[in-house]
Amino acid sequence: MIQYQHHGVTVLRSALYMTNSTIIHPGDAVMLMDPSQTKSWPFGGTWTALAERPLYMAVTHSHYDHIIGAGAFPEAITVASQALADRKDFHEPSNEIGDFDDQWYLEALIPSSIPPFNTLSNVLPSSSKAA
């Protein structure tokens, strides 16, 4: 369900997980922040209108409710924090997704895994790193 929409920013809330995802779409590309939903969920017309643009996905942190929809966007260039990259239990959030689905008898529609990602330090231009 759309919670907010204004000037290239759309905030969506998942009815099932009660988590928020933000889509930033100011121009030629789309940034999906914390993919807690899939393309077929409340994105609706918003996603259809943006589907032709390059997709970037940002995961702010590794709680499972912030990555639960990540498997639905294999085409995305994914960026995550260094803290996520440094986690010793890197796959634990994926296990938590499976546990949630099992607890509520949900059939997983997408893979419950963290996609390959770059860290911000690997993506930012070198002039931005010093700032």
Side-chain angles (χ1 to χ4, degrees):
M1 170 180 354
I2 294 176
Q3 298 295 305
Y4 175 84
Q5 193 166 35
H6 189 69
H7 295 296
V9 175
T10 302
V11 177
L12 303 151
R13 175 168 291 157
S14 164
L16 175 60
Y17 302 109
M18 297 304 291
T19 55
N20 294 321
S21 294
T22 302
I23 302 172
I24 303 169
H25 46 99
D28 295 339
V30 177
M31 172 63 80
L32 172 60
M33 305 287 294
D34 292 334
S36 62
Q37 305 176 51
T38 69
K39 294 175 187 174
S40 63
W41 288 8
F43 290 118
T46 300
W47 194 255
T48 303
L50 301 174
E52 299 301 317
R53 300 180 192 178
L55 175 62
Y56 297 85
M57 184 166 52
V59 179
T60 59
H61 61 286
S62 61
H63 290 158
Y64 79 94
D65 58 323
H66 289 258
I67 63 164
I68 202 161
F73 304 94
E75 74 279 14
I77 297 168
T78 304
V79 178
S81 68
Q82 189 64 49
L84 178 58
D86 291 344
R87 275 188 71 146
K88 301 290 186 243
D89 59 346
F90 181 76
H91 294 288
E92 184 59 27
S94 296
N95 296 337
E96 291 171 358
I97 293 169
D99 292 346
F100 181 92
D101 289 346
D102 290 345
Q103 178 184 356
W104 299 104
Y105 305 102
L106 300 172
E107 181 180 336
L109 301 175
I110 57 173
S112 61
S113 61
I114 300 172
F117 61 85
N118 291 297
T119 59
L120 290 175
S121 61
N122 292 331
V123 174
L124 293 174
S126 56
S127 59
S128 299
K129 293 177 187 177

